[in-house]
Amino acid sequence: MNRIESPAASTANLQLRQVGKPLVRTDSPTKVYGTAVYAGDLTMPGMLCAAVLHSDRASALLRHVDTSRAEALAGVHCVLTAADLPPSQGVMTDMPGQTGGLTKNTKQPILAKDRVRFCGEPIALVAAENAAIAEQALRLIDIEYEDLDGIYDPFDALAPGAPIIFGDDNVVASYKVRKGDIEKGFAEADFIVENTFTTQYQEQAFLEPEAALAWVDEHEVLNIRSSTQVVEHYRAVADAIGLPHNRVRLRAEFVGGGFGGKEVMTIEVWLALLALASRRPVQLVQPRERSFLSHGPRHPFTMTHRTGVSGDGKITALQIKLTSDAGAYAKLSPYILLYATVGATGPYRVDNLHIDSVSAATNNLPACAFRGFGTMQANLACEGQMEEIAKLLGMDSMEVRRRNFIHTGDANVTGQIIRSAVWSDQCATQALATLGERPTDTQTTRIGHGVACYQQSYGRIRWMKDSSEAWVGVEMDGTVIVRSAVTDIGAGQSSALAQITGEILGVPMDQVVVYFGDGAVTPLAGTSTASRALYMSGNATKMAASQVRKNLLSCVAGYFGVKIEQLDMCDSQVFIIDDPQRSIALKDCVKLCAAEGVHRHNLAIFRAPTSEGIDPETGQGEVFPDFTYGAHAAQVAVDIETGEVKVLKSIGAHDVGQAINLRAVEGQVEGSALMGQGFALCEELILKQGRLQTGSLSEYLIPTSEDVPEIKAIVLESRSGLGPFGAKGIGEPVYAPVAASIANAVADAIGVHIFELPITPEKVIKALREKESTK
Amino acid sequence: MLPPFELLEPHSLDQALKMLATSESVPLAGGTNLLPDLRARGEAGGRFISLAALDQLHGIEHSDSRVLMGARTTLSDILHDPLMPTAAPSLVSMAKVFAGSMVRNAATVAGNICYGSPSADVVPPLLSLDAELTLASAAGERTLSLNDFLLDYKKTARRPDELLISVSWAPPTTGTANLFYKLGRRRGDAITVVGVAVTITIEKGNCTKARIALGSVAPTVFRAQEAEEALVGGPLTATTIGTAAQAAAQASRPIDDIRASADYRRHAVHMLVRRLLTEAWQTAGSQHD
Ligand SMILES: Cc1cc2nc3c(=O)[nH]c(=O)nc-3n(C[C@H](O)[C@H](O)[C@H](O)COP(=O)(O)OP(=O)(O)OC[C@H]3O[C@@H](n4cnc5c(N)ncnc54)[C@H](O)[C@@H]3O)c2cc1C
C-alpha cells in the first residue's frame, strides 16, 4: 500500500477522541423534530410575496412588455421589468466566494431585455400582498414576442453559419491537452478502441426549491436571508444594483439541498430589487415548475474516446473529444468544462494524450454546477471505455484498471504530481467483494456486476486563490463558540466544525455552538461547493481552535509549572498527561487566561495552494489542490423481456482521508448512490426545441424510497488529504463513480454496453435487439 | 400554489347527492388527482364535495359469492384487508406498487376509476375480475359493469350528479389465477407505462374463462377481447399464449410520450401478457391437477 503519512497525522499530539466517530450531528435534532428554520419558513410584518414571469419562448425578440394591467391590480405593490433596472451589466454568474483570483466575465441579464434566449428566462418580477395576487398579476402581464430561429444542439451551434447566441462563434469555452507523443502511442498499440458516450441533462431536484426573504433595515442595509450555498453573493447583489458592498447582508439559512444548484446566484437579486422598490420585506419561494428554470442543471456531454492499448491492457495513447451543451448563458460552463477535461482520463495514468474539449451555447436551459461539476460525466466515459477495452482483450476489467491506475507520485492529465494516497485498487476490490455472490439468472432476468473508479478534485481551482476564515472562542463557563460564514447545505458543514473544535479543545461537541452563514458578522469562509467546505473551513477552524488551545495551555502550564506538551484537554478539563489527577476545569482555566489578559479566541485564515493557470496550448499546469479516489460497485437485475433494470446492491468504497463524522460520510455515500442511480436509469430533463417537457416531479423521475437498493458505505482512511486531520473532500467524489458502475453492471448483465444515459427499459430492449441482429 | 376553492362537507349520502344534483360541484375523495390538477390550472377552483364523512362509502364486505368494496376505500385499505389476497390477488399486487405509501393512504378506488385515466392502476385488476359499479344520484341507484363505464380518454358513463358508491365482483373460484404487473420508469410514484391484469380460469385442464385488461396503451383501460377468445376452450400452450399476446399487442393503441414510445409499449404488452398468461396457466393449472 502506498500509504503516505501526512504532516497532519504524524505530528498531531492528539489521539482522536471525537473526530471520525459517528456522533449525533448538531443539526440533526432540529431537523428530526422539524424545528430547523428554512428560508421559506421566515416571515416578517408587512411582508410581500413575489412571483416571477419566465419566458415561454426559447428564442424570440421581446417586442413589447406591458405591465399596466398587472400594476392596476389591487394588492400589487410593484412590477419590475428590464426597463426598471439599474444600468448595470447584469449579474455576475461567475465563480463566487473567497476568491482573490481572476474570473471570467460571465454576466447575465437580471431580466430579459429586447430578447429572450431560452425558454424560462426571467422577464418580470411582481411583489404583492399575497401569493395569490402575485400569481394573478403574472397572468396580467402582456408580452408580444417575435420568434427567432433557435439552436438546440451544440453540434449545430458549432457548425459554420449557425446563428450566434454567444460571443463570435457560440464557443463558451474550449481546452486543449497535449501530452507525450500520441502518434507514437497509437503506433505502439495492438488495438484501438473507439466509443462515444452521451449523457443527459440532470436536475438537482432538491427538496427545498429556491427561497429567500429580503428587506431594507433601519441602517439602510439591504438584508437577504436565503437558501444558498454562497453568502459571498452579497457582493454580486451589491454590484448588480449599484450599492456599496457593506450595505448588503446575505445570510444563508439551513439549505434543503444544494448540489450545485444554489451555487450561482438564483433569486437573491430579484428580491433585492423588489425590496428596494417596494420598501417592504419581500419573500419568494419558487414553485417547483419554476424552480426547474431558476438554476442550471447538469450539462449534457458527448464524449468520444479513442484508446490505443497494448495486448496486455496498457493504455499507450488516448485521444478524447468532449462537447458540452452550455445552454443560453455561460454561467460556470467554462470551469465545468475544465473539470471534465482534467477528469477525462479518470484515475488512470496516460502519458500520450490529446484532449479537445468545447462547450457550446444553444437556446436550451443554461446548464451550471451540479455535484461532480463535469468530472462525473467525463469519468463515466472513461469507466465505460475500461469495460470495452477489457471485453476486446478478453481480460478482467479490474485487471485492465490495475495496469493503468495512477499512483502517488505520478503526473495527472495536466502534469500535476499526485501527492496524496491513491487507493483506487483497494477501494474497487473491496466494493466488488462486498457485492458478494451473484444471485442466479432466471429465464427472464440477468444479473450484472459493475464497478467504476474515479478521480475527483476537492477544493477550488488553484488560480482562484481560495481562502477561508474562522473564529473560535471560549466563554467564561467553558462553553465554546465557532463563527464561520460557511453555508450548511445539509451535509453537516456546521456540525463538522463543532466536532473539530470539540476535539481540539477537549469539550463535548454539544458544548460547541456554531454561528454560520452570515455574510456580515461571521468570518467569510467561502462557498459550500467544490467539495471544499470541510477542507477549507475545517482547516481554518482547526487553526483557530489550535491557537486558542495553545493560549489556554500556556496559562495552565504556568499554573502547574509544566511544559505545554505535558498537557492535554478532554471532557472540559485540562490535565497533565502523565499525572491526570492533576487537572483544572476548563472554565477555571478560562478565568486564568482572562485574568492574565490572554486571548481566549482566535481568528484564523486558511489558504489553499495556488497556481497561475495552465498553458493554453498544452493544458499543463497545476489546476486543483488535490484529488479523492475510490470506487462504487453495483449489482443489477435486468429484465430482458421488458428492459427494466433493478439495482439490487450499491456499494461505495472511498478513501476519505479522515472521516470527521462517520455517519455524515455514510450519509453522503447513501445519497450519492441514489442520485447516481437516478442519473444512470431514470432522470432526464427532456427539452423539445428548448422547451422543458419534464418540468414536474411526476415527469422528472428521481428515485423514490421504493427504489432504494441495499446500500453500503466502506470508509477507508489514508489520512493523506489536505483537510483537517488529513481529510479529503467527499461530497462530490462519492457521487462520481455511481452511474458508471450501474451502466457497467447493465452491460455485464446483457453483454452489450449502452452508451447513452439514461438507460431506459426502451434502450435496453433496443440494445438487445441490435445484439441479436448482429449475431 | 393551490388556488382557493369552495368545500362542501355533507354528513350523509342523501345530503351529498342533493348537493351534487343542485349545485355545480365535483366530488372530492383523496384529492390526489383533483388537487394537483387544480394547482396546475392555477385558477380559482370551483366547488368540491368532500366524501370523507359518508359512512356508506367506507368498508369492505366479503361473502362467498361477492366482494363489496366501498367507493372510498383507499389503496392502503386494500393492503390492510386480510381477505383481499384471495378475494382479488391482482388488486393486492397492484396496491403494493401503486404510488408511494403517502399517496396510498389518501388515494381512493372511486377516485381512480372516476378520473378515467388510461393509466389508472386500479382499473385493470377490477376489469379482469368483471367488476360492477354502483352509482347513486338523488334520482336513485344503478349498477353497470366497469367495462361499460369506461368510454374514452378521461370520459366515463358517470353523470355529473352521480356518485360512485361501491364496486363489487365475484371472488376468483378455485382454478383461477388473477395476476397484475405494472411497468413503470421507477418503482415508486410512477405513472404506468404499461399495466396488465389477467384472470384465467382452468377447469379440467382447459381454459374456461380468460380476461386480459391493459392499461396505458389506449385512450382508456380496455379488455383485449380477441386475445381472450384465443385462449378459451383448450389448454394454454406456448402457441395459444403467443397468439393471445400478439393479439393483445395488436389491440393496443399506444402513444409516444416522454415515458416511452408506442413501439416499446406494444412490445411490452406482448412480453407481459405472455409472461402473465404463462404464470397464470402454471398456478391455475396446479390448483386442480
Ligand atoms: C404522487 C402521486 C402518485 C400517484 N401514483 C399513482 C399510481 O401509481 N397509479 C395510479 O393509478 N394513480 C396514481 N396517482 C393518481 C391518483 O392518486 C389516483 O388516481 C387516485 O386513486 C385518485 O383517487 P382520489 O381519491 O385521490 O381522487 P380525487 O382526486 O379525490 O378524485 C379524482 C376524480 O374522481 C372523482 N371522484 C372521486 N370520488 C368519487 C366518487 N365516489 N364518485 C364519483 N366521482 C368521484 C373526482 O370528482 C375526480 O374527478 C398518483 C397521484 C399522485 C399525486
Side-chain angles (χ1 to χ4, degrees):
Chain A
M1 285 200 298
N2 39 17
R3 177 172 178 144
I4 292 187
E5 285 295 338
S6 77
S10 54
T11 61
N13 76 337
L14 300 159
Q15 328 153 247
L16 300 183
R17 295 188 173 98
Q18 296 183 38
V19 160
K21 307 281 187 305
L23 303 182
V24 175
R25 269 164 47 177
T26 53
D27 57 323
S28 294
T30 145
K31 288 175 179 171
V32 172
Y33 296 126
T35 51
V37 174
Y38 294 85
D41 299 326
L42 301 170
T43 178
M44 283 178 81
M47 186 173 86
L48 303 178
C49 289
V52 185
L53 185 73
H54 296 263
S55 149
D56 70 351
R57 306 296 169 91
S59 177
L61 294 178
L62 274 179
R63 280 273 169 240
H64 193 60
V65 180
D66 183 354
T67 58
S68 53
R69 290 199 303 143
E71 277 161 308
L73 183 68
V76 170
H77 283 251
C78 67
V79 182
L80 300 178
T81 67
D84 307 302
L85 300 189
S88 82
Q89 301 302 304
V91 66
M92 278 284 278
T93 62
D94 210 313
M95 279 294 194
Q98 280 302 85
T99 54
L102 276 181
T103 56
K104 298 172 194 296
N105 183 357
T106 59
K107 281 193 176 166
Q108 178 176 332
I110 298 169
L111 296 173
K113 187 179 185 177
D114 307 329
R115 175 173 178 190
V116 293
R117 291 178 175 80
F118 72 95
C119 193
E121 185 157 3
I123 296 175
L125 310 171
V126 172
E129 283 296 330
N130 60 46
I133 297 174
E135 285 299 316
Q136 207 185 336
L138 290 188
R139 288 196 289 270
L140 295 175
I141 298 174
D142 299 303
I143 298 180
E144 205 183 300
Y145 293 102
E146 182 184 322
D147 284 322
L148 299 172
D149 283 344
I151 315 172
Y152 306 103
D153 179 299
F155 293 98
D156 292 346
L158 295 172
I164 297 302
I165 301 163
F166 183 94
D168 306 324
D169 51 7
N170 291 331
V171 173
V172 173
S174 66
Y175 297 98
K176 263 197 300 204
V177 173
R178 296 290 180 267
K179 213 180 149 183
D181 185 341
I182 190 134
E183 260 135 52
K184 184 169 149 272
F186 276 118
E188 283 167 11
D190 296 312
F191 302 94
I192 292 176
V193 184
E194 179 168 338
N195 288 296
T196 297
F197 300 79
T198 62
T199 60
Q200 74 280 29
Y201 275 113
Q202 185 184 23
E203 155 67 22
Q204 289 81 355
F206 18 63
L207 273 183
E208 179 207 28
E210 293 79 359
L213 165 65
W215 75 98
V216 181
D217 73 13
E218 64 279 20
H219 309 292
E220 284 299 306
V221 171
L222 174 69
N223 283 258
I224 308 172
R225 298 180 69 178
S226 172
S227 172
T228 180
Q229 297 176 238
V230 182
V231 295
E232 288 82 357
H233 282 321
Y234 73 84
R235 299 185 192 120
V237 172
D239 289 343
I241 58 187
L243 288 176
H245 287 188
N246 68 355
R247 296 260 168 216
V248 181
R249 177 182 185 187
L250 177 54
R251 272 185 272 176
E253 306 306 314
F254 274 129
V255 175
F259 311 113
K262 295 166 184 168
E263 170 166 359
V264 160
M265 194 184 332
T266 56
I267 65 175
E268 291 83 1
V269 72
W270 301 338
L271 287 171
L273 289 163
L274 288 171
L276 285 168
S278 66
R279 304 301 292 183
R280 292 265 291 262
V282 187
Q283 186 178 52
L284 174 64
V285 178
Q286 276 294 55
R288 180 63 65 180
E289 43 277 67
R290 291 185 203 138
S291 171
F292 275 98
L293 310 171
S294 302
H295 51 270
R298 180 184 300 290
H299 292 73
F301 266 77
T302 301
M303 302 164 287
T304 301
H305 279 228
R306 184 162 173 266
T307 315
V309 275
S310 62
D312 63 354
K314 191 98 184 75
I315 296 172
T316 60
L318 180 52
Q319 187 170 16
I320 299 177
K321 278 209 166 76
L322 306 174
T323 307
S324 75
D325 184 348
Y329 291 100
K331 292 192 180 258
L332 300 180
S333 294
Y335 304 103
I336 292 163
L337 187 70
L338 177 63
Y339 271 64
T341 307
V342 177
T345 64
Y348 305 105
R349 179 177 152 170
V350 181
D351 294 335
N352 301 312
L353 176 68
H354 271 201
I355 304 177
D356 290 283
S357 59
V358 61
S359 190
T362 64
N363 292 107
N364 290 328
L365 270 177
C368 198
F370 192 157
R371 192 181 198 178
F373 211 75
T375 304
M376 70 82 52
Q377 292 98 313
N379 193 70
L380 176 104
C382 190
E383 287 300 280
Q385 187 73 345
M386 279 292 149
E387 296 296 325
E388 290 300 289
I389 293 169
K391 198 159 77 181
L392 184 79
L393 299 180
M395 278 173 72
D396 174 46
S397 70
M398 265 313 293
E399 204 40 52
V400 178
R401 289 186 174 87
R402 277 186 198 110
R403 305 236 161 130
N404 294 287
F405 275 136
I406 199 166
H407 296 289
T408 305
D410 286 346
N412 76 348
V413 168
T414 67
Q416 180 173 340
I417 304 298
I418 305 301
R419 306 208 177 274
S420 66
V422 182
W423 285 6
S424 305
D425 194 356
Q426 292 92 320
C427 291
T429 305
Q430 287 203 31
L432 269 173
T434 308
L435 286 182
E437 291 293 305
R438 288 166 188 253
T440 43
D441 289 348
T442 69
Q443 207 180 345
T444 57
T445 58
R446 297 288 175 273
I447 301 295
H449 280 185
V451 69
C453 302
Y454 66 92
Q455 166 186 280
Q456 170 97 43
S457 61
Y458 61 94
R460 275 273 156 91
I461 294 168
R462 286 190 179 216
W463 52 93
M464 295 291 158
K465 318 232 161 137
D466 200 9
S467 65
S468 179
E469 290 185 72
W471 185 99
V472 174
V474 188
E475 284 302 319
M476 296 301 278
D477 63 354
T479 59
V480 176
I481 289 176
V482 177
R483 297 193 174 105
S484 160
V486 68
T487 53
D488 194 321
I489 65 171
Q493 279 87 356
S494 58
S495 178
L497 303 188
Q499 200 159 348
I500 290 168
T501 304
E503 178 76 53
I504 302 280
L505 295 178
V507 298
M509 196 176 152
D510 61 8
Q511 300 279 300
V512 182
V513 170
V514 180
Y515 292 93
F516 65 91
D518 188 328
V521 308
T522 52
L524 294 177
T527 64
S528 288
T529 69
S531 303
R532 69 173 284 291
L534 186 269
Y535 160 42
M536 298 295 293
S537 53
N539 271 335
T541 302
K542 182 165 176 263
M543 285 166 72
S546 299
Q547 185 59 48
V548 172
R549 176 185 167 102
K550 210 162 151 194
N551 292 359
L552 296 174
L553 292 188
S554 67
C555 289
V556 179
Y559 174 79
F560 282 130
V562 297
K563 292 204 177 76
I564 288 183
E565 296 73 38
Q566 290 172 274
L567 296 169
D568 199 356
M569 305 173 87
C570 178
D571 295 332
S572 297
Q573 299 279 325
V574 184
F575 60 94
I576 297 173
I577 296 168
D578 293 333
D579 185 7
Q581 301 301 21
R582 289 177 69 197
S583 67
I584 168 173
L586 182 60
K587 63 178 195 294
D588 297 326
C589 154
V590 175
K591 287 192 189 105
L592 221 56
C593 285
E596 291 179 21
V598 171
H599 271 305
R600 289 159 287 120
H601 58 81
N602 183 261
L603 173 65
I605 182 163
F606 174 75
R607 189 165 172 256
T610 62
S611 77
E612 299 305 325
I614 46 174
D615 182 314
E617 291 311 314
T618 62
Q620 299 300 290
E622 299 203 305
V623 182
F624 297 109
D626 190 25
F627 301 87
T628 302
Y629 300 87
H632 201 92
Q635 180 183 75
V636 302
V638 182
D639 185 322
I640 53 168
E641 289 184 342
T642 62
E644 291 165 283
V645 177
K646 183 172 187 178
V647 180
L648 304 174
K649 291 184 184 174
S650 201
I651 318 284
H654 305 274
D655 167 24
V656 305
Q658 166 70 52
I660 302 301
N661 188 311
L662 187 63
R663 237 2 132 243
V665 174
E666 289 168 350
Q668 289 297 307
V669 173
E670 287 161 13
S672 74
L674 285 178
M675 190 174 251
Q677 180 177 325
F679 190 59
L681 301 180
C682 50
E683 293 186 35
E684 182 173 24
L685 286 179
I686 299 174
L687 269 58
K688 206 165 158 186
Q689 300 285 89
R691 192 183 300 269
L692 185 58
Q693 309 294 303
T694 51
S696 81
L697 292 179
S698 76
E699 292 152 321
Y700 184 79
L701 304 173
I702 56 173
T704 70
S705 57
E706 319 249 343
D707 298 87
V708 179
E710 185 183 328
I711 304 176
K712 197 168 152 53
I714 300 169
V715 177
L716 282 72
E717 297 178 318
S718 68
R719 289 200 184 168
S720 69
L722 300 178
F725 306 97
K728 290 187 167 192
I730 59 141
E732 294 172 285
V734 293
Y735 174 70
V738 180
S741 76
I742 294 171
N744 290 348
V746 172
D748 180 50
I750 64 173
V752 43
H753 203 95
I754 295 173
F755 294 95
E756 182 190 324
L757 293 197
I759 300 171
T760 62
E762 191 151 2
K763 287 182 197 161
V764 171
I765 293 302
K766 187 164 162 263
L768 284 169
R769 279 187 182 154
E770 282 166 8
K771 185 181 146 202
E772 272 307 301
S773 66
T774 56
K775 249 187 193 164
Chain B
M1 192 196 136
L2 192 63
F5 56 86
E6 196 183 326
L7 185 66
L8 307 179
E9 295 178 276
H11 298 295
S12 70
L13 182 58
D14 283 350
Q15 201 187 356
L17 294 176
K18 232 170 263 157
M19 287 173 173
L20 260 186
T22 54
S23 66
E24 211 169 281
S25 53
V26 192
L28 175 75
T32 61
N33 276 135
L34 274 186
L35 300 183
D37 279 1
L38 180 64
R39 184 179 177 281
R41 269 202 315 279
E43 281 156 31
R47 194 176 295 131
F48 293 153
I49 299 184
S50 165
L51 307 182
L54 310 187
D55 291 340
Q56 294 93 324
L57 270 50
H58 289 268
I60 303 171
E61 284 169 32
H62 295 271
S63 73
D64 286 348
S65 60
R66 211 76 194 150
V67 184
L68 185 71
M69 187 161 75
R72 240 200 140 290
T73 298
T74 65
L75 274 292
S76 296
D77 294 337
I78 292 175
L79 285 177
H80 294 142
D81 186 284
L83 298 180
M84 204 55 88
T86 47
S90 65
L91 204 59
V92 176
S93 317
M94 180 281 301
K96 284 182 185 157
V97 295
F98 184 103
S101 52
M102 284 191 297
V103 171
R104 286 198 288 267
N105 288 338
T108 67
V109 166
N112 196 265
I113 297 172
C114 294
Y115 193 64
S117 163
S119 62
D121 285 327
V122 175
V123 178
L126 290 177
L127 203 52
S128 81
L129 290 164
D130 289 336
E132 293 189 330
L133 309 182
T134 300
L135 297 153
S137 70
E141 285 189 6
R142 62 172 175 142
T143 295
L144 76 169
S145 74
L146 175 57
N147 203 25
D148 291 340
F149 183 75
L150 305 168
L151 300 180
D152 204 344
Y153 180 72
K154 292 196 178 169
K155 253 186 84 180
T156 69
R158 184 179 85 86
R159 296 194 313 265
D161 66 333
E162 282 181 313
L163 270 187
L164 175 59
I165 54 171
S166 65
V167 183
S168 73
W169 67 92
T173 53
T174 341
T176 299
N178 173 230
L179 306 169
F180 174 79
Y181 191 84
K182 166 172 175 160
L183 176 67
R185 289 284 310 278
R186 65 179 172 194
R187 252 143 259 281
D189 284 326
I191 299 178
T192 298
V193 172
V194 173
V196 181
V198 305
T199 306
I200 297 294
T201 304
I202 307 294
E203 288 173 75
K204 302 201 180 79
N206 290 322
C207 174
T208 54
K209 187 175 169 184
R211 292 286 180 268
I212 300 173
L214 302 175
S216 284
V217 288
T220 170
V221 181
F222 74 104
R223 273 174 51 195
Q225 299 196 8
E226 245 176 73
E228 295 172 354
E229 282 156 20
L231 298 169
V232 176
L236 301 196
T237 63
T239 314
T240 55
I241 287 174
T243 310
Q246 187 90 44
Q250 259 158 23
S252 303
R253 287 179 291 142
I255 55 163
D256 290 323
D257 66 14
I258 50 165
R259 283 173 283 282
S261 71
D263 269 355
Y264 171 77
R265 283 188 159 98
R266 236 178 257 114
H267 165 82
V269 168
H270 189 151
M271 292 298 129
L272 291 173
V273 169
R274 189 175 76 183
R275 182 182 298 180
L276 293 197
L277 288 177
T278 308
E279 196 185 322
W281 168 247
Q282 282 157 3
T283 43
S286 68
Q287 290 175 15
H288 266 298
D289 300 342

